[in-house]
Amino acid sequence: MSRLTHLECTRCGEHYPADRPQSVCPKDGGILYARYDLAAVRRSFSPARLAERAPTMWRYDAVLPEADPVSLGEGFTPMLASRELANVFIKDEGLNPTGSFKARGLSAAVTMARHFGLKNLAIPSAGNAASALAAYAAAAKLEAHIFMPKDVPAANRIECDYYGAHVTLVDGLISDCARKVAELKASESSKNEGWFDVSTTKEPYRVEGKKTMGYEVAEQLGWKLPQGIIYPTGGGVGLLGMWKAFEEMEALGWIGAERPKMITVQSAGCAPIVKAWDEGKATSEMWPQAETLAAGLRVPKPYGDYLILDILKKSKGTAVAATDDEILEATRHWAKVEGIFAAPEGAASQVAYRKLRASNFFKPEDTVVLFNTGSGLKYLDVLDTSVERTLLSAKPAARKPATRQIGGIIGPY
Ligand SMILES: [Zn+2]
């Protein structure tokens, strides 16, 4: 059913074969996008046939690479109408396997890694991508090699241990972890064992997994796109993926030329895209001393920044920053009012929505989808510091991740 034809560089447009493992464009480091024979898919598949399919992201396999999926039931997460705000929907990605949207990208990446016969997958990560890789590698009987800073939040470290991943705790920052992976990749023995780096946007298929969020937004809203999508943006893979999905769906005749305004929300303590957007730049600058309790937003310079900023511009969207205090308040508010215990990153989208309503960017009648990217259960040691009597730690202040400074590019992106 799949019609994957080639990979295409998002910078120079060069084509590369899709029948072997690929990283980024060797010429200019551009991110490679999977391209399909959409005319053939259009002739042979219609969205009406989706109704009979399993409620996972693999229901869209007509527009995914042709390979035996490594699936734990990821995707097709609930699109919940807000109980507080009219015309607002919350797409709850916290219900994915491993409790975050990272499941989608790593299901796709591990599927392709197994398809290509790779055995050892490596990732530098301090976040939810680590546990997602560990889970999918376990399901695929592949080895996951995870390099995390010593002081990562507890949930991801414990999960990786239980999934049987090889965890190396690095006495340093995420950038030191990334350097370790690069060294291992380059070593002779690792070549023999088929080491492969599944860092975000350094391989083409995590975007393919994440793009299914765009297909779901359309399907769950009756093939009518909303006026806005607010997306917590660390590496921004989901933003790239959804925009790609909209272009594909238009080519397939599933939607028209309409597009939602795409909104990036970042933490005020690490907001490289917001800064670049405000200054009208086409790329971002490394954010010095990135600092926020929303670990997934501690990405000082997203690799795909040039694509993110282009999408904001094309969609007439914008970029908004939320402080840690605003994010914590929003996390608690969603839990109380919506019954959703969100990841802090996800709750940031609520902060952005309120700001954009206050500035009249969005009207009350605009349909807006807010992405909750993960479950608050993954952040107990972070969120526990916000209550007066802490349950998990006698000395919360000493453990508070907000005080950590991260100097490199963060793994989950
Ligand atoms: Zn290129």
Side-chain angles (χ1 to χ4, degrees):
M1 194 62 228
S2 179
R3 310 287 179 178
L4 178 62
T5 53
H6 62 279
L7 303 172
E8 183 183 17
C9 176
T10 52
R11 278 194 203 275
C12 68
E14 183 76 27
H15 289 195
Y16 296 96
D19 62 355
R20 67 203 71 170
Q22 300 277 10
S23 179
V24 294
C25 176
K27 285 186 188 168
D28 54 17
I31 293 168
L32 302 184
Y33 271 3
R35 296 299 186 197
Y36 302 82
D37 182 355
L38 293 173
V41 177
R42 184 175 185 158
R43 285 193 299 273
S44 60
F45 192 85
S46 80
R49 285 180 53 191
L50 290 169
E52 68 208 34
R53 302 203 150 202
T56 78
M57 72 175 203
W58 295 98
R59 67 202 276 105
Y60 308 108
D61 63 358
V63 287
L64 289 168
E66 193 168 27
D68 181 24
V70 181
S71 177
L72 294 167
E74 56 290 321
F76 220 67
T77 53
M79 176 74 80
L80 301 167
S82 169
R83 283 157 168 86
E84 179 188 27
L85 302 161
N87 302 313
V88 169
F89 291 85
I90 301 163
K91 179 74 171 151
D92 193 0
E93 290 290 298
L95 278 80
N96 275 302
T98 71
S100 89
F101 66 161
K102 300 289 178 188
R104 295 176 188 264
L106 285 150
S107 174
V110 172
T111 291
M112 294 310 285
R114 184 174 72 177
H115 180 72
F116 291 132
L118 301 168
K119 302 288 183 216
N120 289 285
L121 307 180
I123 203 167
S125 173
N128 290 319
S131 48
L133 173 64
Y136 285 94
K141 295 189 166 50
L142 304 181
E143 303 291 322
H145 301 265
I146 289 157
F147 296 80
M148 23 170 78
K150 266 183 176 171
D151 58 351
V152 290
N156 293 314
R157 183 173 52 74
I158 296 167
E159 279 184 275
C160 289
D161 181 38
Y162 268 73
Y163 289 130
H166 305 279
V167 178
T168 305
L169 293 175
V170 177
D171 192 9
L173 300 175
I174 191 74
S175 47
D176 301 304
C177 299
R179 195 163 53 245
K180 281 243 175 205
V181 172
E183 283 168 14
L184 277 161
K185 253 175 80 181
S187 76
E188 197 53 42
S189 64
S190 72
K191 273 179 197 158
N192 298 336
E193 292 167 20
W195 271 82
F196 193 70
D197 182 357
V198 290
S199 299
T200 297
T201 56
K202 303 290 176 64
E203 63 77 59
Y205 299 107
R206 283 177 66 178
V207 175
E208 292 305 288
K210 284 280 186 75
K211 86 177 179 189
T212 58
M213 296 190 297
Y215 282 88
E216 286 176 28
V217 165
E219 184 179 355
Q220 291 176 322
L221 296 177
W223 304 107
K224 196 170 178 301
L225 295 183
Q227 275 74 52
I229 290 179
I230 304 184
Y231 189 79
T233 306
V237 181
L239 196 86
L240 310 188
M242 283 193 278
W243 195 254
K244 184 174 187 287
F246 299 148
E247 288 177 350
E248 290 175 1
M249 280 187 278
E250 187 179 356
L252 290 165
W254 296 7
I255 60 168
E258 78 277 12
R259 294 289 183 275
K261 290 174 176 161
M262 301 299 281
I263 317 296
T264 274
V265 58
Q266 297 194 302
S267 167
C270 182
I273 297 296
V274 179
K275 182 169 183 283
W277 175 256
D278 288 345
E279 293 171 355
K281 296 196 172 137
T283 57
S284 65
E285 290 163 27
M286 181 71 77
W287 188 272
Q289 296 175 336
E291 201 176 314
T292 172
L293 58 81
L297 299 179
R298 279 187 309 208
V299 182
K301 180 172 168 47
Y303 195 76
D305 57 356
Y306 65 105
L307 295 171
I308 296 169
L309 288 157
D310 187 48
I311 290 165
L312 299 188
K313 199 170 166 184
K314 279 182 184 156
S315 74
K316 301 183 175 63
T318 189
V320 180
T323 66
D324 277 3
D325 284 346
E326 288 172 329
I327 289 172
L328 277 177
E329 198 186 317
T331 308
R332 187 175 289 279
H333 184 77
W334 252 359
K336 279 186 178 170
V337 172
E338 307 279 2
I340 296 171
F341 188 35
E345 295 88 342
S349 63
Q350 184 203 140
V351 178
Y353 177 76
R354 289 183 194 285
K355 289 184 177 181
L356 293 171
R357 274 291 301 278
S359 68
N360 228 21
F361 183 92
F362 283 128
K363 310 274 185 296
E365 63 270 24
D366 288 336
T367 298
V368 182
V369 174
L370 278 47
F371 267 84
N372 173 35
T373 48
S375 167
L377 294 173
K378 303 289 293 271
Y379 297 81
L380 291 181
D381 49 350
V382 177
L383 296 174
D384 190 45
T385 61
S386 70
V387 299
E388 273 183 39
R389 188 176 59 83
T390 62
L391 301 173
L392 288 179
S393 169
K395 290 185 290 179
R399 296 174 54 192
K400 195 175 179 183
T403 61
R404 286 187 208 140
Q405 294 188 348
I406 303 287
I409 300 292
I410 289 221
Y413 312 177

